[in-house]
Amino acid sequence: MHILYTPRSIFAKLLLSGLMLTVAATTSVANDATPPSLISVNAQGKAKAMPDQAEMHLSFSQEAPKVDQARRTVDNQVRQILKILEDYELASGSLDSSQTNIHPQYHYHQGQQNFRGYQVTRNVRFVLSNLDQLEELIEEISKQEVTRLQHIQLGLSDPGLIRQEALDRAIQHSKQLAQHIAEQYDVNLGPVHQVRYQAQGEHTPPPMAAMRAELAADSAPSYQQKELEFSAHIEVSFTLR
């Protein structure tokens, strides 16, 4: 028996075959788009270290009827403090005494503005790398007449290692959390699917408030060094086997 295929029947067969291929391809794409089964966890790691340096900001200010008068007074004080700093251990390249500001000063009387003189301010910044010298240096600064100790911030000269320790602890914590969840659900933990890392910086003691240099040296407080805390945050998704 012979079967005769007319053009119409051949076309129908090809169309049916094409439809089947299309359905198969669509099913394959749909299967590929199926998201993997995941366990996602958030974990934090912390590490602490004692500070080994102090960033210090000094301000020298003087007001006088003429700019030159105020500037001479301030420049003399800056030279004195720079001479004092020669006896202390400063971080290389940290000393900056170049910032000078000059502002005219006025007072108001019966609605009129009257010129009073000029205020000259000069800033000195540096990093003390030997904290054993901190209290002694503060006492020396307190003896300067026009000096204001604006800011002291304790820190680390090389925070890289302690940051790495915080990150390592965050990673280990994330593994432990994910493994515990997998065991409780009777599933096997697979490889990492996605990781997000965020360094949260360091939690340092607040900067010491601005202190007037007129404080007597024998009444200078004792500065207790506190540990610096670094933290790292990990968001990680593990696939399931």
Side-chain angles (χ1 to χ4, degrees), residues 192-206:
V192 172
H193 175 73
Q194 185 180 53
V195 177
R196 292 181 180 178
Y197 161 65
Q198 181 181 2
Q200 296 181 327
E202 60 187 85
H203 302 282
T204 63

Side-chain angles (χ1 to χ4, degrees), residues 161-218:
L161 291 178
I162 196 68
R163 291 183 188 276
Q164 183 67 48
E165 184 178 344
L167 175 58
D168 290 345
R169 290 182 178 180
I171 293 173
Q172 291 302 318
H173 189 200
S174 70
K175 291 179 179 179
Q176 293 169 1
L177 283 175
Q179 185 61 45
H180 178 71
I181 294 172
E183 291 174 357
Q184 293 301 310
Y185 283 104
D186 296 323
V187 295
N188 294 320
L189 204 62
V192 172
H193 175 73
Q194 185 180 53
V195 177
R196 292 181 180 178
Y197 161 65
Q198 181 181 2
Q200 296 181 327
E202 60 187 85
H203 302 282
T204 63
M208 298 177 185
M211 291 168 281
R212 292 306 301 261
E214 290 80 6
L215 288 174
D218 58 358

Side-chain angles (χ1 to χ4, degrees), residues 98-154:
S98 62
Q99 299 181 25
T100 302
N101 297 304
I102 300 174
H103 298 286
Q105 301 296 304
Y106 300 90
H107 70 270
Y108 295 87
H109 180 67
Q110 295 181 350
Q112 293 186 349
Q113 176 179 281
N114 299 305
F115 178 71
R116 192 175 68 196
Y118 293 93
Q119 184 179 59
V120 175
T121 302
R122 189 169 170 184
N123 298 317
V124 175
R125 299 182 180 184
F126 58 90
V127 175
L128 180 68
S129 57
N130 183 354
L131 290 185
D132 291 338
Q133 300 175 332
L134 180 59
E135 290 193 33
E136 179 185 342
L137 179 54
I138 291 176
E139 291 180 3
E140 289 294 334
I141 292 172
S142 71
K143 299 174 184 177
Q144 308 305 309
E145 295 179 358
V146 297
T147 308
R148 185 181 179 90
L149 180 53
Q150 297 279 52
H151 174 91
I152 301 177
Q153 183 67 64
L154 300 178

